[in-house]
Amino acid sequence: MDAQGRGRADDVDPADQWVLNPRTGEYELRLSPSAPESSVPGPRTAGPRASGRRTTAPGREVPPQRRRRAEPEAPVPGRRGRRPEKKKSRGKRVLLWTGGSMAFVVLVAGVGGYVYLKHLEGNVSTTDVGTAGSSSFKKDEAFNILIIGTDKRTGEGNEGYGDKGSAGHADTNILLHVAEDRSNATALSIPRDLIVDIPDCETTLEDGTKKVIPGTSGVRFNQSLGDFGRDAGCTMRTVAETTGIKPDHFMMADFNAVKTLTTAVDGVDVCVENAVDDPKSHLKLPAGESTVEGEQALAFVRTRHAFGNEGDLDRIKVQQQFLGSLMRKMSSSDTLTSPTKLVKLAEAATKALTVDKAIGKVGTLKDIALELKKVPTKNITFTTVPVIDNPAEKVKATVVVNEAKGPQVFDMIKNDISFTEVEQKKKKEKAAVAARLEGEKSEPGEVRVRVMNGGAPAGSAQQELAYLQTQAGVSKSENAGNAPAEIAKTTLEYAPDQADQARALAEILGLSGAAMKPGESVTNAQGLPTMTLTLGKDFKGAGVKLDGSVKKPDLDTESTADQKLCAS
C-alpha cells in the first residue's frame, strides 16, 4: 500500500488499544474520542466505544483507554509498504510450528477481533497446492498440517545463513497431527536425508497455468521442494507416498520468525548438558540452563556439530526441545496477559507465514488457532520417523524408514491414536465401557450378527466373517455386503434385548464401549433379530482387536511439549 493509503497508522499503538475486560477475560479493542483512529479498515460502532468508556453491566463501566506511550512497543496494524507476490515463498523456512501456528493460537486466544485478524491475513502469503491437500478446514475432524522449512538463503539480515545457490529444499519438516477430540497431538519430524520416492506432482505457475513435474525414485526427501520447480504441494504428496498419511494443509515460515518471536516473548529457556562453543553456528552457551533470543535462538536451532553425533537427527531432537520450550513460553501467563507481546507475536508470525490457499482466509486461520489451543501441551508428542542407516551406502549419509517400527507409527497417526496417556479420553472410555460392556454374555454360538463393509479394504467383511465362523465360534453370522456409507470407526448396532450377545461379540473382537451403538436390530433370512457389525476405516484385519489398545513401538526420539530437557 502507498503512503496515501496508510492513513494515520504511524500514530497508533495497537497494544494500547487492546484492553483486558475483567468480566469476560478477553481483550477488546478500545478507542476514545481523543485517540487517533486505527488505519485498519473495518466496521465502526457508535455508543459506549465512542465515549471512551464501555458499559459492561448496569452501574459498572470499564476504565477508559490508558495513555499512549511515547514510543510504541508493538508493530502498527496496517498493510506494509511492499509485499512479495503471494505465490512465492520468501526466506529461509524453518520451524514453522514456532513461527506460525502457536503464535497465532496465542494471539487469537488472548486478543481476537475481526478487524485485527483481517489485517494479519494481509501479512500471509499463499500457495495453490491443488489436490495435494484438502479444499477446506473442518473443525469437527482430525487434521494434519505439514510444517516445512527450506535452506533457501534470502531475507534481510540472513545473508550469512543457508546455501546461497539453493532453490529452497525441504530441510526441516514436521507433520503435525491433531486428534479429532483435540485431546492430543503428534508432531512427527521427517529427516531431510530420508530416502523416498517423489511422485509426479502438478504445480501452478505464476501465470496461473498448470505444470506436471515428473517424479523420481530413491532420492532425499528434501528434494521434494525446490528441484525442477517443485512447490509445497509436491512435498505434501511425497509425505503421503512415504507414510500413507495425507497432509490436509501446509505452513512455512522464514527463520526470521525464530529471532522475532523469541525476542517478542523476552527469550526462551533452553538447557545443554555441556558447554557449547560452535564456530559454525556461532553458538556459545554455558552448561545448564540459559535464555536465548534473537540471533542466539536462531544459532541454537541451527547448531548441529555441538550435539550427539553431529548429525541432522540429533539436531532434530534439539529443535523439538526448543519448540516445546517456546510453546510453554507463549502459553504462559506473562505472554497471555501482555497485549504488547501478543501483537508482536502475531505480526512476526504472519509476516513470516506461507500457507495453502484453503486456509489463507482470516476465518479459517482463526478456526485453526482455536482448535490448536484446545490441545494440552502435556499431550503434544514430538517424535521422529523411525529410521535406519541406508544399507545401500558404504559411507553412511542417508537413512531409510525402519520397516519394523515406521509403519506402526504411521498407522497410529492415521487411526488417530494418541502417543500419550490422555486422561480425559480414558475417563470417557471407562464410563462407556462400564455402561455397555459389563453384564452377562451369551455363548458365541448364540450370537447372531451380520457383517457389513463400511470403509475397510475390499473383501474385509468376508474375511471377518470367516474368522468369526471358523475360529471364534460365531456360527450364526452372515455377510451383508457394503454399508450405505463409509465410517471411520467400526460399530456394532444392537437392540436392548441383544445386549448379552453384543457384550460377547465385543469381547471377541476387542470392541470398545464407544463402538457399541444401542439401537435397533434387523431381521435375518430366518426371521430372527440380528445385530449389525459395520467395519470402518479403522479395521486392521480379520481377528485383529479393534479396541485401539495398540502398543506403540519403542522410539529412539520421543518427548512432550511440557517436558524440560537438556540437549546433549
Side-chain angles (χ1 to χ4, degrees):
M1 182 177 292
D2 58 24
Q4 291 178 335
R6 293 180 182 271
R8 290 179 297 209
D10 294 339
D11 296 329
V12 179
D13 182 353
D16 284 341
Q17 309 304 317
W18 294 100
V19 181
L20 180 66
N21 185 333
R23 293 181 58 82
T24 64
E26 296 183 354
Y27 288 88
E28 298 174 347
L29 183 63
R30 187 91 33 77
L31 298 174
S32 68
S34 61
E37 296 182 3
S38 172
S39 64
V40 182
R44 299 183 60 188
T45 58
R49 286 181 186 266
S51 67
R53 302 181 71 85
R54 180 185 178 100
T55 301
T56 59
R60 296 189 63 182
E61 293 182 334
V62 176
Q65 173 192 342
R66 60 183 177 174
R67 184 183 301 274
R68 281 178 50 243
R69 289 182 287 273
E71 295 184 2
E73 294 184 9
V76 179
R79 303 183 70 87
R80 291 177 290 167
R82 295 182 180 177
R83 285 288 302 142
E85 193 174 24
K86 284 185 176 283
K87 291 183 180 178
K88 293 182 179 180
S89 170
R90 290 290 185 259
K92 166 100 172 169
R93 315 289 186 183
V94 297
L95 304 178
L96 175 60
W97 174 246
T98 303
S101 56
M102 278 310 296
F104 206 81
V105 169
V106 173
L107 175 83
V108 175
V111 180
Y114 176 82
V115 175
Y116 189 62
L117 287 176
K118 197 66 178 175
H119 154 69
L120 293 177
E121 179 182 310
N123 290 343
V124 180
S125 297
T126 61
T127 298
D128 182 2
V129 298
T131 60
S134 299
S135 59
S136 62
F137 174 75
K138 298 179 180 179
K139 294 189 287 185
D140 57 350
E141 296 181 354
F143 61 91
N144 303 309
I145 297 179
L146 179 62
I147 298 159
I148 307 173
T150 80
D151 60 357
K152 192 171 184 178
R153 195 191 78 170
T154 59
E156 184 178 354
N158 298 319
E159 293 80 5
Y161 303 132
D163 182 357
K164 183 177 181 179
S166 174
H169 296 119
D171 263 24
T172 300
N173 311 276
I174 299 176
L175 180 61
L176 175 66
H177 170 80
V178 180
E180 182 178 359
D181 64 2
R182 308 303 186 244
S183 64
N184 67 93
T186 302
L188 180 69
S189 292
I190 303 173
R192 67 180 185 183
D193 296 327
L194 179 67
I195 296 299
V196 297
D197 294 337
I198 301 175
D200 296 346
C201 60
E202 183 181 76
T203 62
T204 302
L205 305 180
E206 293 184 15
D207 60 4
T209 59
K210 305 288 186 179
K211 175 185 177 182
V212 175
I213 301 176
T216 184
S217 299
V219 297
R220 283 178 166 87
F221 181 89
N222 66 353
Q223 293 179 238
S224 63
L225 182 70
D227 280 8
F228 308 105
R230 294 189 179 107
D231 62 11
C234 298
T235 308
M236 294 171 73
R237 288 185 170 91
T238 303
V239 170
E241 179 83 10
T242 304
T243 67
I245 306 167
K246 180 180 178 181
D248 298 298
H249 309 286
F250 87 90
M251 292 182 177
M252 291 195 298
D254 63 38
F255 66 9
N256 279 322
V258 177
K259 295 189 285 187
T260 56
L261 287 174
T262 53
T263 300
V265 297
D266 296 331
V268 171
D269 297 330
V270 298
C271 181
V272 294
E273 289 189 1
N274 303 302
V276 174
D277 187 357
D278 185 359
K280 292 184 178 295
S281 67
H282 307 295
L283 178 67
K284 293 184 178 181
L285 288 177
E289 296 185 356
S290 299
T291 300
V292 297
E293 64 178 274
E295 291 285 350
Q296 192 179 30
L298 180 58
F300 184 82
V301 299
R302 292 183 64 247
T303 294
R304 180 179 64 181
H305 298 282
F307 303 122
N309 296 321
E310 302 187 13
D312 190 55
L313 296 179
D314 291 299
R315 178 162 55 183
I316 287 175
K317 296 178 187 178
V318 173
Q319 291 174 348
Q320 291 171 346
Q321 294 168 16
F322 174 86
L323 295 180
S325 180
L326 180 57
M327 289 162 61
R328 292 192 299 272
K329 188 64 176 287
M330 285 180 171
S331 59
S332 69
S333 58
D334 287 345
T335 300
L336 292 176
T337 57
S338 171
T340 299
K341 288 182 180 179
L342 289 170
V343 171
K344 285 182 178 179
L345 283 170
E347 293 288 342
T350 54
K351 288 175 182 178
L353 195 62
T354 299
V355 303
D356 55 288
K357 283 191 172 182
I359 61 173
K361 298 298 182 182
V362 60
T364 309
L365 290 173
K366 180 178 180 180
D367 288 343
I368 292 176
L370 294 176
E371 293 305 307
L372 286 169
K373 186 178 180 294
K374 295 177 183 178
V375 184
T377 54
K378 67 177 182 178
N379 292 330
I380 300 175
T381 300
F382 290 102
T383 189
T384 304
V385 172
V387 296
I388 59 174
D389 288 334
N390 188 351
E393 295 177 335
K394 292 184 178 179
V395 178
K396 304 303 180 184
T398 61
V399 293
V400 296
V401 172
N402 183 338
E403 294 299 333
K405 298 180 179 181
Q408 191 170 348
V409 170
F410 304 151
D411 285 342
M412 288 181 68
I413 294 176
K414 283 191 292 185
N415 294 315
D416 204 19
I417 297 173
S418 174
F419 281 67
T420 59
E421 293 291 340
V422 182
E423 183 177 356
Q424 179 183 7
K425 193 171 184 179
K426 289 174 65 179
K427 286 182 178 179
K428 290 181 179 179
E429 181 64 13
K430 184 177 180 180
V433 169
R436 299 174 185 175
L437 293 181
E438 292 182 359
E440 295 185 1
K441 301 179 181 67
S442 300
E443 292 297 323
E446 298 175 359
V447 174
R448 290 188 299 273
V449 62
R450 62 176 192 152
V451 184
M452 303 186 74
N453 191 332
S460 294
Q462 184 58 40
Q463 294 169 12
E464 187 74 338
L465 177 65
Y467 165 76
L468 291 173
Q469 292 180 341
T470 61
Q471 298 186 50
V474 184
S475 56
K476 297 177 182 178
S477 51
E478 59 187 85
N479 188 340
N482 292 327
E486 292 188 353
I487 58 175
K489 303 289 186 180
T490 296
T491 62
L492 175 63
E493 185 175 2
Y494 58 96
D497 60 356
Q498 295 173 310
D500 55 347
Q501 295 183 43
R503 286 190 285 266
L505 189 60
E507 184 177 55
I508 292 171
L509 300 181
L511 292 177
S512 66
M516 300 176 67
K517 306 295 182 184
E520 299 179 354
S521 62
V522 296
T523 302
N524 64 10
Q526 289 75 39
L528 299 173
T530 304
M531 301 183 296
T532 301
L533 174 68
T534 305
L535 306 179
K537 294 180 180 179
D538 62 338
F539 180 73
K540 302 177 180 65
V544 179
K545 297 289 186 180
L546 289 163
D547 59 3
S549 57
V550 177
K551 185 181 185 300
K552 67 181 179 183
D554 294 328
L555 300 174
D556 297 329
T557 60
E558 181 181 1
S559 62
T560 53
D562 65 325
Q563 292 179 308
K564 296 181 179 180
L565 303 174
C566 291
S568 60

